[in-house]
Amino acid sequence: MLLIRAIIRPERTNIVLSELLAAGFPAVTKMDVYGRGKQKGIVIGDVQYNEIPKEMLLLVVKDEDKDDVVKVIMRNARTGEKGNFGDGRIFISAVLDAYTISTAKQGL
């Protein structure tokens, strides 16, 4: 199992969630996050914004589904034809185990 963390622009969240659902990946946790990437924030006039609002999507998927999920996120979170700074990042980590609390069932 893998944990996929996608940090994306808030205005792209609904389309990404919709496309993940259509692709067969309905289980997602979403949260508001704030931060900055390699560009070190945004400067507008004399003001520097270091905490840019983003959304973080969390999905736990089978190893063999990783490439499909990443493709859906990349295709739908990217802005413009070639993408733009601030479109986000995807991080993938191993998940050692998972349990459903109500049933005590192990796995996905």
Side-chain angles (χ1 to χ4, degrees):
M1 290 180 289
L2 298 169
L3 171 63
I4 299 178
R5 277 177 266 194
I7 301 172
I8 63 174
R9 292 176 183 264
E11 64 270 18
R12 303 303 298 170
T13 301
N14 287 340
I15 187 70
V16 170
L17 290 173
S18 176
E19 292 299 319
L20 285 168
L21 179 61
F25 303 103
V28 178
T29 300
K30 177 186 83 139
M31 60 184 82
D32 296 332
V33 295
Y34 300 87
R36 62 178 179 265
K38 291 179 184 178
Q39 74 275 11
K40 302 175 185 171
I42 297 173
V43 177
I44 300 175
D46 293 335
V47 180
Q48 178 160 354
Y49 297 92
N50 289 318
E51 295 182 357
I52 311 300
K54 301 288 182 182
E55 296 276 351
M56 182 162 53
L57 306 179
L58 303 171
L59 299 89
V60 177
V61 301
K62 297 176 184 174
D63 291 19
E64 59 267 21
D65 291 331
K66 175 190 76 153
D67 290 338
D68 292 336
V69 171
V70 169
K71 285 177 188 173
V72 169
I73 295 169
M74 294 284 280
R75 184 174 56 244
N76 293 286
R78 181 179 288 142
T79 60
E81 197 170 308
K82 295 182 179 182
N84 292 289
F85 288 115
D87 280 351
R89 300 279 293 192
I90 298 173
F91 302 96
I92 301 173
S93 307
V95 173
L96 300 179
D97 224 338
Y99 293 87
T100 300
I101 293 173
S102 62
T103 63
K105 183 179 174 185
Q106 185 178 15
L108 292 176

